[in-house]
Amino acid sequence: TNRNPLITKNNFFFFAGSTYPAEKRLPHNVRRTVHDLYHNKTGYVVSETGVPNFKTLMASSYFCMAPSGRGGGWGMRYGMALLSGCIPVVIMDNTTQ
């Protein structure tokens, strides 16, 4: 259930942020792959650059990508997604269970 009735969930998935295209140390860049696969797909908002309405887009999406940051830990988007009512999708390069 949407906790904020003023915000409609229009998007299935959201991510806006750097895809680190020049990052050579990562054997598989998840951010780049997600961008390449979904940036033009209906219901997906995926941008390599920041967007002016970041918080609104996050709140109007069901799932938000929460990739690891440059330090390797969970990025700031995890908490932001939870606070906006978006389900965080945690994706980390080179991580196994």
Side-chain angles (χ1 to χ4, degrees):
T1 308
N2 187 358
R3 292 179 13 187
N4 188 344
L6 300 176
I7 297 177
T8 304
K9 299 283 186 185
N10 296 319
N11 307 308
F12 181 73
F13 183 86
F14 171 74
F15 175 73
S18 177
T19 57
Y20 305 126
E23 213 40 72
K24 301 290 185 205
R25 64 182 178 85
L26 298 176
H28 180 71
N29 189 332
V30 172
R31 292 171 180 233
R32 175 91 253 151
T33 301
V34 168
H35 176 270
D36 291 348
L37 291 172
Y38 298 105
H39 77 280
N40 283 327
K41 196 166 184 174
T42 302
Y44 291 74
V45 178
V46 180
S47 175
E48 290 184 88
T49 61
V51 290
N53 50 349
F54 186 93
K55 291 179 183 177
T56 302
L57 285 169
M58 188 173 262
S60 66
S61 301
Y62 288 102
F63 298 95
C64 295
M65 190 164 99
S68 61
R70 281 191 180 270
W74 287 10
M76 64 182 177
R77 288 178 186 84
Y78 181 82
M80 292 170 68
L82 289 175
L83 291 172
S84 69
C86 189
I87 299 166
V89 177
V90 177
I91 300 174
M92 293 178 147
D93 292 325
N94 302 318
T95 302
T96 59
Q97 255 183 310

